[in-house]
Amino acid sequence: PRVLVVGGGIAGLGAAQRLCHRAFPHLRVLEATGRAGGRIRSERKFGGVVEMGAHWIHGPSQGNPVFQLAVEYGLLGEKEMSEENQLVELGGHLDLPCVSYASSGRNVSLELVADMANLFYTLLDQAREFQHVVETPVPSVGEYIKREISRHMADWTENNETKKLKLAILNTHFNVECCVSGTHSMDLVALGPFGEYTMLPGLDCTFPGGYEGLTSNIVASLPKDILVFNKPVKTIHWNGSFREETLPGEMFPVMVECEDGDRFPAHHVILTVPLGFLKEHLDTFFQPPLPLEKAEAIRKMGFGTNNKIFLEFEEPFWEPDCKYMQVVWEGSSPLEDAAPEPKDTWVRKLIGFLVLPSFGSVYVLCGFIAGLESEFMETLSDEEVLQSLTQVLRRMTGNPQLPAPRSVLRSRWHSAPYTRGSYSYIAVGSTGDNIDLLAQPLPADSADAQLQILFAGEATHRMFYSTTHGALLSGRREADRLTSLWHTKAQPPQPEP
Ligand SMILES: Cc1cc2nc3c(=O)[nH]c(=O)nc-3n(C[C@H](O)[C@H](O)[C@H](O)COP(=O)(O)OP(=O)(O)OC[C@H]3O[C@@H](n4cnc5c(N)ncnc54)[C@H](O)[C@@H]3O)c2cc1C
Ligand SMILES: *[C@@H]1O[C@H](CO)[C@@H](O)[C@H](O)[C@H]1NC(C)=O
Ligand SMILES: *[C@@H]1O[C@H](CO)[C@@H](O)[C@H](O)[C@H]1NC(C)=O
Ligand SMILES: *[C@@H]1O[C@H](CO)[C@@H](O)[C@H](O)[C@H]1NC(C)=O
């Protein structure tokens, strides 16, 4: 059969690798951009390598196919592969920062920081316990945690100033979770299905030589010329009968039309475009349109923005063993709605900075910022972002002479036309069933011309959505679905004796 994979991220590449392995000779991967990897994107910069997209292997242990491939390709260090690392279970809790700066320039007591981390993660863990509850007390994770915080506050005995600081620290934790979930607000993340996301054991680790080593190794394992770059797909025509001039007499149920006018008839299409792209082009991308239920699932599912801002310094202003600096925005509170004007307040969504391992004599911080403020940041110039962050750092550290970063580099996933955000989450008004519904192939009921469009990608994995391993598994899942169809066709079931 002729099989087309749309999208050359890890889901598409994973599907292609499986199918090549099983000898599907008429296979092509159509990729909109000039490179493979999608949201796995490492850039050589600052004399080292930085990740614009995926950063960690979440849960690097034997049950994680990304970990397995990374080991197979020799991309990890001794420590990352050690038994000890594989056994660690942090339950998605971040390590404590080495320093916590209040926005006006004083250090926040690390004891207070630890107390608030403890409280927040206790409540976050509780929020995962509503999977089998018929009716949740409130619709969202955000509302649930806020309600619990209000209850705890009744027992706080400190002075008003300390109470306010505690709320500001908790507010930073909400912003951290916005980054983790790729959402503007935890009020948008559905409480009931929150616990369906599954964490694998293992101490999250990075790729010393860049995450993209993973996808480039998969590409290298594929036959030459399978990947077609700069080939954005405009419309998928399905449920039809299309011909190709070079193959008279042959009929194809699907025809993929590209933006440049090229047309590719096919028996099967494995679609791996990001949910953000699907949401934006839902009305024109499928011909005939998707069944109502499926279109509705796509509209309801959550897909937001998380970005990184890298800052390069000549000299570190942090302690040598520091890995993470927290920023606490004084006056902020999760119990009050944030100011609606993002223009000058966008930096207040920044959670702090990760210290990257130094590249020789270059020192790099990686800031994280999610939500609408992050999308607004994308519209600014590098110069404006650098200036705002220099101001923040000077105020935070209480050092008005702090040298400005030498340069800035940031991701802009919301503006990326073939991504339109970072990753998916289960939004209020949606459930895990919507993920399964999205993952169902089309047409839903057809004796012949089955599996015309198969759906893969991060957003189609019910347990591991938003991750690279979820994406990889989803691609393999759809490849396997196709293989079993052709396996049954090749060996028609024998009549029972
Ligand atoms: C900032 C950020 C940080 C992240 N951090 C982590 C992390 O630490 N750990 C982790 O596990 N995951 C992380 N992720 C998520 C992870 O990167 C994704 O879940 C995963 O890479 C998605 O793979 P995919 O193949 O489903 O989609 P993609 O990688 O997005 O691939 C889809 C491909 O389809 C192409 N495409 C789109 N439209 C068309 C079209 N019309 N025609 C042809 N091609 C098209 C795109 O160009 C793209 O190459 C992060 C993501 C971001 C953005
Ligand atoms: C704040 O913490 C940093 C890092 O630990 C330290 O270098 C600095 O001296 C502290 N500043 C104050 C005012 O305590
Ligand atoms: C603390 O805050 C409460 C409630 O806002 C207020 O009633 C009280 O007067 C404040 N106490 C002090 C010492 O400022
Ligand atoms: C698919 O085609 C058949 C036959 O032309 C038609 O009856 C059916 O409604 C079509 N399905 C969709 C979803 O368009």
Side-chain angles (χ1 to χ4, degrees), residues 214-369:
L214 182 71
T215 41
S216 49
N217 268 282
I218 303 181
V219 170
S221 78
L222 300 173
K224 291 266 164 296
D225 306 328
I226 271 197
L227 270 123
V228 188
F229 291 108
N230 302 308
K231 209 38 99 179
V233 169
K234 185 176 159 204
T235 307
I236 298 182
H237 303 266
W238 59 290
N239 196 37
S241 36
F242 302 95
R243 290 170 196 280
E244 187 174 40
E245 282 154 34
T246 55
L247 286 169
E250 181 101 50
M251 290 288 217
F252 300 92
V254 193
M255 204 267 297
V256 170
E257 180 189 349
C258 296
E259 277 177 20
D260 63 6
D262 270 6
R263 292 163 164 249
F264 297 84
H267 295 103
H268 311 283
V269 171
I270 300 182
L271 188 62
T272 75
V273 301
L275 179 60
F277 179 91
L278 270 188
K279 280 176 180 281
E280 186 175 44
H281 299 277
L282 195 52
D283 295 337
T284 53
F285 199 67
F286 300 94
Q287 208 46 253
L290 292 183
L292 284 180
E293 236 191 356
K294 198 164 180 108
E296 206 43 37
I298 291 172
R299 280 193 200 98
K300 283 183 181 166
M301 290 169 72
F303 196 80
T305 303
N306 174 30
N307 276 309
K308 304 183 191 176
I309 309 175
F310 298 96
L311 300 175
E312 179 200 18
F313 292 86
E314 275 162 62
E315 295 290 338
F317 61 85
W318 52 90
E319 303 289 327
D321 55 354
C322 182
K323 297 208 172 76
Y324 164 48
M325 300 180 224
Q326 185 181 58
V327 185
V328 173
W329 298 95
E330 280 161 294
S332 70
S333 160
L335 306 182
E336 283 157 31
D337 285 332
E341 253 304 286
K343 290 258 182 313
D344 41 354
T345 56
W346 68 269
V347 278
R348 290 173 67 90
K349 196 66 163 266
L350 184 83
I351 64 167
F353 298 94
L354 215 67
V355 180
L356 299 192
S358 75
F359 309 133
S361 58
V362 179
Y363 301 89
V364 182
L365 294 183
C366 175
F368 286 83
I369 182 166

Side-chain angles (χ1 to χ4, degrees), residues 7 10-11 31-32 39 54-56 58 233 277 418 457-458 466-468:
I10 190 152
E31 166 55 45
R39 281 169 275 172
H55 205 109
W56 295 277
H58 289 308
V233 169
F277 179 91
Y418 299 108
E458 159 271 305
S466 82
T467 65
T468 54

Side-chain angles (χ1 to χ4, degrees), residues 414-431:
H414 185 255
S415 320
Y418 299 108
T419 317
R420 305 300 277 141
S422 296
Y423 32 84
S424 61
Y425 62 93
I426 306 184
V428 169
S430 173
T431 68

